[in-house]
């Protein structure tokens, strides 16, 4: 159990210029937009969408550190995290 918990402790290393998660428009932008559309289709309220987006962004970097084979891209920058949350809210018509 102790080793399992250690996997989720990490030192986040943000993406550097030229890497995928450094700019706000990358190959995952459409995915985040479509997730917001699915939320809208499910008629989720603003607070539910916001909570889901924040929870995912909080666990995404630790998951990348723990399971690099599932997430083969760099860590997110703070700017990209806010952009992805905002994108989900806007694409679902929440804002």
């Amino acid at each position: 159990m102790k080793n399992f918990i250690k996997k989720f402790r990490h030192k986040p290393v943000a993406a550097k210029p030229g890497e995928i998660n450094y700019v706000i428009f990358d190959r995952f932008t459409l995915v985040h937009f479509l997730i917001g559309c699915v939320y809208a289709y499910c008629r989720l309220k603003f607070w539910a969408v916001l909570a889901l987006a924040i929870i995912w962004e909080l666990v995404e970097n630790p998951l990348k550190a723990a399971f690099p084979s599932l997430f083969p891209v760099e860590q997110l920058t703070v700017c990209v995290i806010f952009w992805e949350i905002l994108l989900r809210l806007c694409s679902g018509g929440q804002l």
Side-chain angles (χ1 to χ4, degrees):
M1 182 69 172
K2 194 173 188 180
N3 289 335
F4 181 75
I5 293 172
K6 274 187 174 182
K7 282 186 177 184
F8 288 97
R9 290 186 185 162
H10 70 288
K11 290 183 178 182
V13 178
K16 297 173 184 69
E19 294 179 332
I20 292 172
N21 285 325
Y22 183 75
V23 294
I24 60 174
F25 292 103
D26 58 19
R27 65 182 185 189
F28 299 107
T29 301
L30 181 61
V31 174
H32 290 94
F33 179 84
L34 293 174
I35 290 170
C37 293
V38 170
Y39 290 162
Y41 181 78
C42 295
R43 298 179 187 262
L44 293 179
K45 302 291 184 201
F46 171 82
W47 294 111
V49 173
L50 183 63
L52 287 171
I54 290 172
I55 289 169
W56 172 252
E57 296 302 331
L58 288 174
V59 300
E60 186 177 8
N61 279 340
L63 285 174
K64 285 180 180 184
F67 306 103
S69 61
L70 294 176
F71 301 95
V73 294
E74 303 82 15
Q75 302 286 328
L76 300 170
T77 61
V78 174
C79 179
V80 171
I81 289 172
F82 283 116
W83 167 250
E84 290 177 355
I85 292 170
L86 185 64
L87 185 62
R88 283 188 215 124
L89 291 169
C90 291
S91 64
Q94 301 293 332
L95 292 181

